[in-house]
Amino acid sequence: PVKTSGPLVESAMQDGASVVVKFTQAEGLNVPDGSAPGQFQVAGETGGFITVTGKIVGENVLLAWQGPGAARRVRYAWAGNPLANLYNAEKLPASPFEIPVSPGG
């Protein structure tokens, strides 16, 4: 069946020095030009958002997180005119989002 939506965020969970962002509708998750997924930001315990590097692993995006403290929130393409670059196999773009980060193991 053809997907009717781009990747939709399902959850975000801290896993050590990474935040794992899980998506639905994400079969063939990719960045068309082969670069890293952009436009991701993570907020820690201080509340300020920091731009972070993403890496696609299956239908997830792993975000590097160096602190300070635990990651609290993740957002993607959170701007007036974002240069979003994350797509699924049907070439449909991921929607902007902001969600809390669950503590991990």
Side-chain angles (χ1 to χ4, degrees):
V2 175
K3 301 264 187 285
T4 58
S5 169
L8 298 172
V9 68
E10 182 177 315
S11 66
M13 184 173 70
Q14 183 144 11
D15 184 11
S18 296
V19 174
V20 180
V21 181
K22 295 185 179 189
F23 291 88
T24 61
Q25 303 285 329
E27 187 173 326
L29 194 63
N30 72 90
V31 173
D33 67 3
S35 64
Q39 300 293 313
F40 280 95
Q41 295 180 316
V42 178
E45 295 171 355
T46 60
F49 279 92
I50 299 168
T51 300
V52 295
T53 303
K55 177 182 177 184
I56 296 171
V57 179
E59 295 183 4
N60 303 326
V61 174
L62 300 181
L63 304 174
W65 175 247
Q66 302 300 317
R72 297 291 188 218
R73 298 194 69 75
V74 170
R75 63 187 182 189
Y76 169 74
W78 203 257
N81 188 19
L83 298 174
N85 65 352
L86 192 62
Y87 294 82
N88 62 15
E90 282 77 20
K91 299 181 179 152
L92 298 170
S95 299
F97 64 82
E98 182 178 340
I99 61 169
V101 175
S102 301

Coordinates of all heavy atoms in Angstrom, one line a residue:
P1 N 0.8 -1.2 0.0 CA 0.0 0.0 0.0 C 0.9 1.3 0.0 O 1.9 1.3 0.6 CB -0.8 -0.1 1.3 CG -0.2 -1.2 2.1 CD 0.7 -2.0 1.2
V2 N 0.4 2.3 -0.7 CA 1.1 3.6 -0.7 C 0.9 4.3 0.6 O -0.2 4.4 1.1 CB 0.6 4.4 -1.9 CG1 1.2 5.8 -2.0 CG2 0.8 3.6 -3.2
K3 N 1.9 4.9 1.0 CA 1.8 5.8 2.2 C 1.2 7.1 1.9 O 1.4 7.6 0.8 CB 3.2 6.0 2.8 CG 4.0 4.8 3.2 CD 3.8 4.5 4.6 CE 4.7 3.4 5.1 NZ 4.3 2.1 4.7
T4 N 0.4 7.6 2.8 CA -0.3 8.9 2.5 C 0.3 10.0 3.3 O -0.2 11.1 3.3 CB -1.8 8.7 2.9 OG1 -1.9 8.3 4.3 CG2 -2.5 7.7 2.0
S5 N 1.3 9.7 4.1 CA 2.0 10.7 4.9 C 3.5 10.5 4.9 O 4.0 9.4 4.7 CB 1.5 10.6 6.3 OG 2.2 11.3 7.2
G6 N 4.2 11.6 5.2 CA 5.6 11.5 5.4 C 5.8 10.8 6.8 O 4.9 10.5 7.5
P7 N 7.1 10.7 7.2 CA 7.4 10.1 8.5 C 6.7 10.9 9.6 O 6.8 12.2 9.6 CB 8.9 10.2 8.6 CG 9.4 10.2 7.1 CD 8.3 11.0 6.4
L8 N 6.1 10.2 10.5 CA 5.5 10.9 11.7 C 6.2 10.4 13.0 O 6.4 9.2 13.2 CB 4.0 10.5 11.8 CG 3.1 10.9 10.6 CD1 1.7 10.3 10.7 CD2 3.0 12.4 10.5
V9 N 6.5 11.4 13.8 CA 7.2 11.0 15.0 C 6.3 10.2 15.9 O 5.1 10.5 16.1 CB 7.8 12.3 15.8 CG1 6.6 13.1 16.3 CG2 8.7 11.9 16.9
E10 N 6.9 9.2 16.5 CA 6.2 8.3 17.4 C 6.6 8.5 18.9 O 5.9 8.6 19.8 CB 6.4 6.8 17.1 CG 5.6 5.9 17.9 CD 5.8 4.4 17.4 OE1 5.7 4.2 16.2 OE2 6.0 3.6 18.3
S11 N 8.0 8.6 19.1 CA 8.5 8.8 20.4 C 10.0 9.2 20.3 O 10.6 9.1 19.3 CB 8.4 7.4 21.2 OG 9.3 6.5 20.6
A12 N 10.5 9.6 21.5 CA 11.9 10.0 21.6 C 12.3 9.4 23.0 O 11.6 9.6 24.0 CB 12.1 11.5 21.5
M13 N 13.5 8.7 23.0 CA 13.9 8.1 24.3 C 15.5 8.3 24.4 O 16.2 8.1 23.4 CB 13.6 6.7 24.3 CG 14.0 6.0 25.7 SD 13.4 4.3 25.8 CE 14.4 3.5 24.7
Q14 N 15.9 8.7 25.5 CA 17.4 8.8 25.8 C 18.0 7.4 25.9 O 17.5 6.6 26.5 CB 17.7 9.7 27.0 CG 19.2 9.9 27.2 CD 19.5 11.2 27.7 OE1 18.7 11.9 28.2 NE2 20.8 11.5 27.7
D15 N 19.1 7.3 25.2 CA 19.9 6.0 25.3 C 21.3 6.4 25.4 O 22.0 6.5 24.4 CB 19.6 5.2 24.0 CG 20.3 3.8 24.1 OD1 20.8 3.4 25.2 OD2 20.4 3.1 23.0
G16 N 21.8 6.6 26.6 CA 23.2 7.0 26.9 C 23.4 8.4 26.3 O 22.7 9.3 26.6
A17 N 24.4 8.5 25.4 CA 24.8 9.8 24.8 C 24.0 10.0 23.5 O 24.3 10.9 22.7 CB 26.3 9.8 24.5
S18 N 22.9 9.3 23.3 CA 22.0 9.5 22.2 C 20.6 9.7 22.6 O 20.2 9.2 23.6 CB 22.1 8.3 21.2 OG 23.4 8.2 20.7
V19 N 19.8 10.3 21.7 CA 18.4 10.3 21.8 C 17.9 9.6 20.6 O 18.2 9.9 19.4 CB 17.8 11.7 21.8 CG1 16.3 11.7 21.8 CG2 18.3 12.5 23.1
V20 N 17.1 8.5 20.8 CA 16.5 7.8 19.7 C 15.1 8.3 19.4 O 14.2 8.2 20.2 CB 16.4 6.2 20.0 CG1 15.9 5.5 18.9 CG2 17.8 5.7 20.4
V21 N 14.9 8.8 18.1 CA 13.6 9.3 17.7 C 13.0 8.3 16.8 O 13.6 7.9 15.7 CB 13.8 10.7 17.0 CG1 12.4 11.2 16.6 CG2 14.5 11.7 17.9
K22 N 11.9 7.7 17.2 CA 11.2 6.7 16.4 C 10.1 7.3 15.6 O 9.4 8.2 16.1 CB 10.6 5.6 17.3 CG 11.7 4.8 18.0 CD 11.1 3.7 18.8 CE 12.3 2.9 19.5 NZ 11.9 1.7 20.1
F23 N 9.9 6.8 14.3 CA 8.9 7.3 13.4 C 8.0 6.2 13.0 O 8.4 5.0 12.9 CB 9.6 7.9 12.2 CG 10.3 9.2 12.5 CD1 11.7 9.1 12.8 CD2 9.7 10.4 12.3 CE1 12.4 10.3 13.1 CE2 10.4 11.6 12.6 CZ 11.7 11.5 12.9
T24 N 6.8 6.5 12.6 CA 5.9 5.6 11.8 C 5.9 6.2 10.4 O 6.4 7.3 10.1 CB 4.5 5.6 12.4 OG1 3.9 6.9 12.3 CG2 4.5 5.1 13.8
Q25 N 5.3 5.5 9.5 CA 5.2 5.9 8.1 C 6.7 6.2 7.5 O 6.9 7.1 6.7 CB 4.4 7.2 7.9 CG 3.0 7.0 8.4 CD 2.1 6.2 7.5 OE1 2.3 6.1 6.3 NE2 1.1 5.5 8.0
A26 N 7.7 5.5 8.1 CA 9.1 5.8 7.8 C 9.8 4.8 7.0 O 11.1 4.8 7.0 CB 9.7 6.1 9.1
E27 N 9.1 3.9 6.3 CA 9.9 2.9 5.5 C 10.7 3.6 4.5 O 10.3 4.5 3.8 CB 8.9 1.9 4.8 CG 9.6 0.8 4.1 CD 8.6 -0.2 3.5 OE1 7.5 -0.4 4.2 OE2 8.9 -0.8 2.5
G28 N 12.0 3.2 4.4 CA 12.9 3.9 3.5 C 13.3 5.3 3.9 O 13.6 6.1 3.1
L29 N 13.3 5.5 5.3 CA 13.7 6.8 5.8 C 15.0 7.2 5.2 O 16.0 6.5 5.2 CB 13.8 6.7 7.3 CG 13.9 8.0 8.1 CD1 12.6 8.8 7.9 CD2 14.1 7.7 9.6
N30 N 15.1 8.5 4.7 CA 16.3 8.9 4.0 C 16.4 10.4 3.9 O 15.4 11.2 4.1 CB 16.3 8.3 2.6 CG 15.3 9.0 1.6 OD1 15.6 10.0 1.0 ND2 14.1 8.4 1.6
V31 N 17.6 10.9 3.6 CA 17.8 12.3 3.2 C 18.3 12.2 1.7 O 19.2 11.5 1.4 CB 18.9 12.9 4.0 CG1 19.3 14.3 3.5 CG2 18.5 13.0 5.5
P32 N 17.5 12.8 0.8 CA 17.7 12.6 -0.6 C 19.2 12.8 -1.1 O 19.7 12.1 -2.0 CB 16.8 13.5 -1.3 CG 15.7 13.7 -0.4 CD 16.3 13.6 1.0
D33 N 19.9 13.8 -0.6 CA 21.2 14.0 -1.0 C 22.3 13.3 -0.3 O 23.5 13.4 -0.5 CB 21.5 15.5 -1.0 CG 21.6 16.1 0.4 OD1 21.5 15.4 1.4 OD2 21.8 17.3 0.5
G34 N 21.9 12.4 0.6 CA 22.8 11.5 1.4 C 23.5 12.2 2.6 O 24.3 11.6 3.2
S35 N 23.1 13.4 2.9 CA 23.7 14.1 4.0 C 23.0 13.7 5.3 O 22.1 12.9 5.3 CB 23.6 15.6 3.9 OG 22.2 16.0 3.8
A36 N 23.5 14.2 6.4 CA 22.9 13.8 7.7 C 21.5 14.5 7.8 O 21.3 15.6 7.3 CB 23.8 14.2 8.8
P37 N 20.6 13.9 8.6 CA 19.3 14.6 8.8 C 19.5 15.9 9.6 O 20.3 15.9 10.6 CB 18.5 13.6 9.7 CG 19.2 12.3 9.6 CD 20.6 12.6 9.2
G38 N 19.0 17.0 9.1 CA 19.2 18.3 9.7 C 17.9 18.8 10.4 O 16.9 18.1 10.5
Q39 N 18.1 19.9 11.0 CA 17.0 20.6 11.6 C 16.5 20.0 12.9 O 15.4 20.2 13.4 CB 15.8 20.7 10.7 CG 16.1 21.5 9.4 CD 16.3 23.0 9.7 OE1 15.6 23.6 10.5 NE2 17.4 23.5 9.2
F40 N 17.3 19.1 13.5 CA 17.0 18.5 14.8 C 17.6 19.4 15.9 O 18.8 19.8 15.8 CB 17.5 17.1 15.0 CG 16.6 16.1 14.3 CD1 16.9 15.7 13.0 CD2 15.5 15.6 14.9 CE1 16.1 14.8 12.4 CE2 14.7 14.6 14.3 CZ 15.0 14.2 13.0
Q41 N 16.9 19.6 17.0 CA 17.4 20.3 18.2 C 16.9 19.5 19.4 O 15.8 18.9 19.5 CB 16.8 21.7 18.3 CG 17.3 22.6 17.1 CD 16.8 24.0 17.2 OE1 15.6 24.2 17.5 NE2 17.6 24.9 17.0
V42 N 17.8 19.5 20.5 CA 17.4 18.9 21.7 C 17.6 19.9 22.9 O 18.6 20.7 22.8 CB 18.4 17.7 22.0 CG1 18.1 17.0 23.3 CG2 18.3 16.6 20.9
A43 N 16.7 19.9 23.8 CA 16.8 20.7 25.0 C 17.1 19.8 26.2 O 16.5 18.7 26.3 CB 15.5 21.4 25.3
G44 N 18.0 20.3 27.0 CA 18.3 19.6 28.2 C 17.6 20.1 29.4 O 16.6 20.8 29.3
E45 N 18.2 19.9 30.6 CA 17.6 20.3 31.9 C 17.5 21.8 32.0 O 16.7 22.3 32.8 CB 18.3 19.6 33.0 CG 18.2 18.1 33.0 CD 19.0 17.4 34.0 OE1 19.9 18.0 34.6 OE2 18.9 16.2 34.1
T46 N 18.4 22.5 31.3 CA 18.4 24.0 31.4 C 17.3 24.6 30.5 O 17.0 25.8 30.7 CB 19.8 24.6 31.0 OG1 20.0 24.2 29.6 CG2 20.9 24.1 31.9
G47 N 16.8 23.8 29.6 CA 15.6 24.3 28.8 C 16.0 24.9 27.4 O 15.1 25.0 26.6
G48 N 17.3 25.2 27.2 CA 17.7 25.8 25.9 C 17.9 24.7 24.9 O 18.4 23.7 25.1
F49 N 17.4 25.0 23.6 CA 17.6 24.0 22.6 C 18.9 24.2 21.9 O 19.4 25.3 21.7 CB 16.5 24.2 21.5 CG 15.2 23.5 21.9 CD1 14.2 24.2 22.6 CD2 14.9 22.2 21.6 CE1 13.0 23.6 23.0 CE2 13.8 21.6 22.0 CZ 12.8 22.3 22.7
I50 N 19.5 23.0 21.6 CA 20.9 23.0 20.9 C 20.7 22.2 19.6 O 20.1 21.1 19.6 CB 21.9 22.3 21.8 CG1 22.0 23.1 23.1 CG2 23.2 22.1 21.1 CD1 22.8 22.3 24.2
T51 N 21.2 22.7 18.5 CA 21.2 21.9 17.3 C 22.1 20.7 17.4 O 23.3 20.8 17.9 CB 21.6 22.8 16.1 OG1 20.7 23.9 16.0 CG2 21.6 22.1 14.8
V52 N 21.6 19.5 17.0 CA 22.4 18.3 17.1 C 22.5 17.6 15.8 O 21.7 17.8 14.9 CB 21.8 17.4 18.2 CG1 21.9 18.0 19.6 CG2 20.4 17.0 17.8
T53 N 23.5 16.7 15.7 CA 23.7 15.9 14.5 C 22.8 14.6 14.5 O 22.7 14.0 15.6 CB 25.2 15.4 14.4 OG1 26.0 16.6 14.4 CG2 25.4 14.6 13.2
G54 N 22.2 14.3 13.4 CA 21.4 13.1 13.3 C 22.0 12.0 12.4 O 22.8 12.3 11.6
K55 N 21.6 10.8 12.7 CA 22.0 9.6 11.9 C 20.8 8.7 11.7 O 20.2 8.3 12.7 CB 23.2 8.9 12.6 CG 23.6 7.7 11.8 CD 24.8 7.0 12.6 CE 25.2 5.7 11.9 NZ 26.2 4.9 12.6
I56 N 20.5 8.3 10.5 CA 19.4 7.4 10.2 C 19.8 6.0 10.5 O 20.8 5.5 10.0 CB 18.9 7.5 8.8 CG1 18.3 9.0 8.6 CG2 17.8 6.5 8.5 CD1 18.0 9.3 7.1
V57 N 19.0 5.3 11.3 CA 19.2 3.8 11.6 C 17.8 3.2 11.4 O 17.0 3.3 12.3 CB 19.8 3.6 13.0 CG1 20.0 2.1 13.2 CG2 21.1 4.3 13.1
G58 N 17.6 2.5 10.2 CA 16.3 1.9 10.0 C 15.2 3.0 9.9 O 15.3 3.9 9.1
E59 N 14.2 2.9 10.7 CA 13.1 3.9 10.8 C 13.3 4.8 11.9 O 12.3 5.4 12.4 CB 11.8 3.1 10.8 CG 11.6 2.4 9.5 CD 10.2 1.7 9.4 OE1 9.4 1.8 10.3 OE2 10.0 0.9 8.4
N60 N 14.5 4.9 12.5 CA 14.8 5.8 13.6 C 15.8 6.8 13.2 O 16.6 6.6 12.3 CB 15.3 5.0 14.8 CG 14.4 3.9 15.3 OD1 13.2 4.1 15.2 ND2 14.9 2.8 15.7
V61 N 15.9 7.9 14.0 CA 17.0 8.9 13.8 C 17.7 8.9 15.2 O 17.0 9.1 16.2 CB 16.5 10.3 13.4 CG1 17.7 11.2 13.4 CG2 15.9 10.2 12.0
L62 N 19.0 8.7 15.2 CA 19.8 8.8 16.4 C 20.4 10.2 16.5 O 21.0 10.7 15.5 CB 20.9 7.8 16.5 CG 20.5 6.3 16.4 CD1 21.8 5.4 16.5 CD2 19.5 6.0 17.5
L63 N 20.2 10.9 17.6 CA 20.7 12.2 17.8 C 21.8 12.2 18.9 O 21.6 11.7 19.9 CB 19.6 13.2 18.2 CG 18.4 13.3 17.3 CD1 17.3 14.1 17.9 CD2 18.8 13.8 15.9
A64 N 23.0 12.8 18.6 CA 24.0 12.9 19.5 C 23.6 13.9 20.6 O 23.2 15.0 20.3 CB 25.3 13.3 18.9
W65 N 23.8 13.5 21.9 CA 23.5 14.4 23.0 C 24.6 14.4 24.0 O 24.9 13.3 24.6 CB 22.2 14.0 23.6 CG 21.9 14.8 24.9 CD1 21.8 14.4 26.2 CD2 21.6 16.2 24.9 NE1 21.5 15.4 27.0 CE2 21.4 16.6 26.2 CE3 21.5 17.2 23.9 CZ2 21.1 17.9 26.6 CZ3 21.2 18.5 24.3 CH2 21.0 18.8 25.7
Q66 N 25.2 15.5 24.2 CA 26.4 15.6 25.2 C 26.0 16.3 26.5 O 26.9 16.6 27.3 CB 27.5 16.4 24.5 CG 28.0 15.7 23.2 CD 28.5 14.3 23.4 OE1 29.2 14.0 24.4 NE2 28.1 13.4 22.5
G67 N 24.7 16.6 26.6 CA 24.3 17.3 27.9 C 24.3 18.8 27.7 O 24.3 19.3 26.6
P68 N 24.2 19.5 28.8 CA 24.3 19.1 30.2 C 23.1 18.4 30.7 O 21.9 18.7 30.3 CB 24.5 20.5 30.9 CG 23.7 21.4 30.0 CD 23.9 21.0 28.6
G69 N 23.3 17.4 31.5 CA 22.2 16.6 32.1 C 21.5 15.8 31.0 O 21.9 15.6 29.9
A70 N 20.3 15.3 31.4 CA 19.5 14.5 30.5 C 18.8 15.3 29.5 O 18.5 16.5 29.7 CB 18.4 13.8 31.4
A71 N 18.5 14.7 28.4 CA 17.7 15.4 27.3 C 16.3 15.4 27.8 O 15.8 14.4 28.3 CB 17.8 14.6 26.0
R72 N 15.6 16.5 27.5 CA 14.2 16.7 27.9 C 13.2 16.8 26.8 O 12.1 16.3 26.9 CB 14.1 17.9 28.8 CG 14.8 17.8 30.1 CD 14.2 16.8 31.0 NE 14.9 16.8 32.3 CZ 15.2 15.8 33.0 NH1 14.9 14.6 32.6 NH2 15.8 15.9 34.2
R73 N 13.6 17.5 25.7 CA 12.7 17.7 24.6 C 13.5 17.6 23.3 O 14.6 17.9 23.2 CB 12.0 19.0 24.6 CG 11.1 19.1 25.9 CD 10.1 20.3 25.8 NE 9.1 20.1 24.9 CZ 8.0 19.3 25.0 NH1 7.8 18.6 26.1 NH2 7.1 19.3 24.1
V74 N 12.8 17.2 22.2 CA 13.3 17.1 20.9 C 12.4 17.8 19.9 O 11.2 17.7 20.1 CB 13.5 15.7 20.4 CG1 13.9 15.6 18.9 CG2 14.6 14.9 21.2
R75 N 13.0 18.6 19.0 CA 12.1 19.2 18.0 C 12.8 19.1 16.6 O 14.0 18.9 16.5 CB 11.7 20.6 18.3 CG 12.8 21.6 18.4 CD 12.3 22.9 18.9 NE 13.3 23.9 18.9 CZ 13.2 25.1 19.5 NH1 12.0 25.4 20.0 NH2 14.2 26.0 19.5
Y76 N 12.0 19.1 15.6 CA 12.5 18.9 14.2 C 11.8 20.0 13.3 O 10.6 20.2 13.4 CB 12.2 17.5 13.7 CG 12.4 17.4 12.2 CD1 13.7 17.3 11.7 CD2 11.3 17.3 11.3 CE1 13.9 17.2 10.3 CE2 11.5 17.2 9.9 CZ 12.8 17.1 9.4 OH 13.1 17.0 8.1
A77 N 12.6 20.6 12.5 CA 12.1 21.6 11.5 C 11.2 22.7 12.2 O 10.2 23.1 11.7 CB 11.3 20.9 10.4
W78 N 11.6 23.1 13.4 CA 10.9 24.0 14.2 C 11.3 25.4 13.9 O 12.1 26.1 14.7 CB 11.1 23.7 15.7 CG 10.0 24.2 16.6 CD1 10.1 25.2 17.4 CD2 8.7 23.6 16.8 NE1 8.9 25.4 18.1 CE2 8.1 24.3 17.7 CE3 8.1 22.4 16.3 CZ2 6.8 24.0 18.2 CZ3 6.8 22.1 16.7 CH2 6.2 22.9 17.6
A79 N 10.9 26.0 12.8 CA 11.2 27.3 12.3 C 10.2 27.8 11.4 O 9.3 27.0 10.9 CB 12.6 27.3 11.6
G80 N 10.2 29.1 11.1 CA 9.2 29.7 10.2 C 9.4 29.2 8.8 O 8.4 29.0 8.1
N81 N 10.6 28.9 8.3 CA 10.8 28.4 7.0 C 11.9 27.4 7.0 O 13.0 27.6 6.6 CB 11.1 29.6 6.0 CG 11.2 29.1 4.6 OD1 10.6 28.1 4.2 ND2 11.8 29.9 3.8
P82 N 11.7 26.2 7.6 CA 12.7 25.2 7.8 C 13.2 24.6 6.6 O 12.5 24.4 5.6 CB 12.1 24.2 8.7 CG 10.6 24.2 8.3 CD 10.4 25.7 8.0
L83 N 14.5 24.2 6.6 CA 15.1 23.5 5.5 C 15.1 22.0 5.8 O 16.1 21.4 6.0 CB 16.5 24.0 5.2 CG 16.6 25.4 4.8 CD1 18.1 25.9 4.7 CD2 15.9 25.7 3.5
A84 N 13.9 21.5 6.0 CA 13.7 20.1 6.4 C 14.2 19.1 5.3 O 14.0 19.4 4.1 CB 12.3 19.8 6.7
N85 N 14.8 18.0 5.7 CA 15.4 17.1 4.6 C 15.2 15.6 4.9 O 15.8 14.8 4.3 CB 16.9 17.4 4.5 CG 17.7 17.0 5.7 OD1 17.2 16.7 6.8 ND2 19.0 17.1 5.5
L86 N 14.2 15.3 5.7 CA 13.9 13.9 6.1 C 12.7 13.4 5.4 O 11.6 14.0 5.5 CB 13.8 13.8 7.6 CG 13.8 12.4 8.2 CD1 15.1 11.7 8.0 CD2 13.5 12.5 9.7
Y87 N 12.8 12.3 4.6 CA 11.7 11.8 3.8 C 11.6 10.3 4.0 O 12.5 9.6 4.4 CB 12.0 12.0 2.3 CG 12.0 13.5 1.9 CD1 13.1 14.3 2.2 CD2 10.9 14.1 1.4 CE1 13.1 15.7 1.9 CE2 10.9 15.4 1.0 CZ 12.0 16.2 1.3 OH 12.0 17.5 1.0
N88 N 10.5 9.7 3.5 CA 10.3 8.3 3.5 C 10.5 7.8 2.0 O 10.8 8.6 1.1 CB 8.9 7.8 4.1 CG 7.7 8.4 3.3 OD1 7.8 8.9 2.2 ND2 6.6 8.2 4.0
A89 N 10.3 6.5 1.8 CA 10.6 6.0 0.4 C 9.6 6.6 -0.6 O 10.0 6.6 -1.8 CB 10.4 4.5 0.4
E90 N 8.5 7.0 -0.2 CA 7.5 7.6 -1.2 C 7.8 9.1 -1.5 O 7.0 9.8 -2.1 CB 6.1 7.5 -0.7 CG 5.5 6.1 -0.9 CD 6.0 5.1 0.2 OE1 6.5 5.5 1.2 OE2 5.9 3.9 -0.1
K91 N 9.0 9.6 -0.9 CA 9.4 11.0 -1.1 C 8.5 12.0 -0.5 O 8.3 13.1 -0.9 CB 9.6 11.3 -2.6 CG 10.7 10.4 -3.2 CD 10.9 10.7 -4.7 CE 12.0 9.8 -5.2 NZ 11.9 9.6 -6.6
L92 N 7.9 11.6 0.6 CA 7.0 12.4 1.4 C 7.8 12.9 2.6 O 8.5 12.1 3.3 CB 5.7 11.7 1.9 CG 4.8 11.2 0.7 CD1 3.7 10.3 1.3 CD2 4.2 12.4 0.0
P93 N 7.8 14.2 2.9 CA 8.6 14.8 4.0 C 8.0 14.5 5.4 O 6.8 14.4 5.6 CB 8.6 16.3 3.7 CG 7.3 16.5 3.0 CD 7.0 15.3 2.2
A94 N 9.0 14.5 6.4 CA 8.6 14.4 7.8 C 8.0 15.8 8.2 O 8.4 16.8 7.7 CB 9.8 14.1 8.6
S95 N 7.0 15.7 9.0 CA 6.4 16.9 9.6 C 7.1 17.5 10.7 O 7.7 16.8 11.5 CB 4.9 16.6 10.0 OG 4.2 16.1 9.0
P96 N 7.1 18.8 10.9 CA 7.7 19.4 12.1 C 7.1 18.9 13.3 O 5.9 18.6 13.3 CB 7.4 20.9 11.9 CG 7.2 21.1 10.4 CD 6.6 19.8 10.0
F97 N 7.8 18.8 14.4 CA 7.3 18.3 15.7 C 8.2 18.8 16.8 O 9.3 19.2 16.7 CB 7.2 16.8 15.7 CG 8.5 16.1 15.7 CD1 9.3 15.9 16.8 CD2 9.0 15.6 14.5 CE1 10.5 15.2 16.8 CE2 10.2 14.9 14.4 CZ 11.0 14.8 15.5
E98 N 7.6 18.8 18.0 CA 8.3 18.9 19.3 C 7.7 18.0 20.3 O 6.4 18.0 20.5 CB 8.2 20.3 19.8 CG 9.0 20.5 21.1 CD 9.0 21.9 21.7 OE1 8.7 22.9 20.9 OE2 9.3 22.1 22.9
I99 N 8.5 17.1 20.9 CA 8.0 16.1 21.8 C 8.9 16.0 23.0 O 10.1 16.3 22.9 CB 7.8 14.7 21.2 CG1 9.1 14.2 20.6 CG2 6.8 14.7 20.1 CD1 9.1 12.7 20.2
P100 N 8.4 15.4 24.2 CA 9.3 15.2 25.3 C 10.1 13.9 25.0 O 9.8 13.1 24.2 CB 8.3 14.9 26.4 CG 7.0 14.5 25.8 CD 7.0 15.2 24.4
V101 N 11.3 13.9 25.7 CA 12.2 12.7 25.7 C 11.9 11.9 26.9 O 12.0 12.4 28.0 CB 13.6 13.2 25.6 CG1 14.6 12.0 25.6 CG2 13.9 14.0 24.4
S102 N 11.7 10.6 26.7 CA 11.5 9.6 27.8 C 12.9 9.2 28.3 O 13.8 9.1 27.5 CB 10.8 8.4 27.4 OG 9.5 8.7 26.9
P103 N 13.0 9.0 29.6 CA 14.3 8.5 30.1 C 14.5 7.1 29.6 O 13.6 6.3 29.4 CB 14.1 8.5 31.6 CG 12.8 9.1 31.9 CD 12.1 9.3 30.7
G104 N 15.8 6.8 29.3 CA 16.1 5.4 28.7 C 16.8 4.6 29.7 O 17.0 4.9 30.9
G105 N 17.3 3.5 29.2 CA 18.1 2.6 30.0 C 19.6 2.6 29.8 O 20.1 3.4 29.1

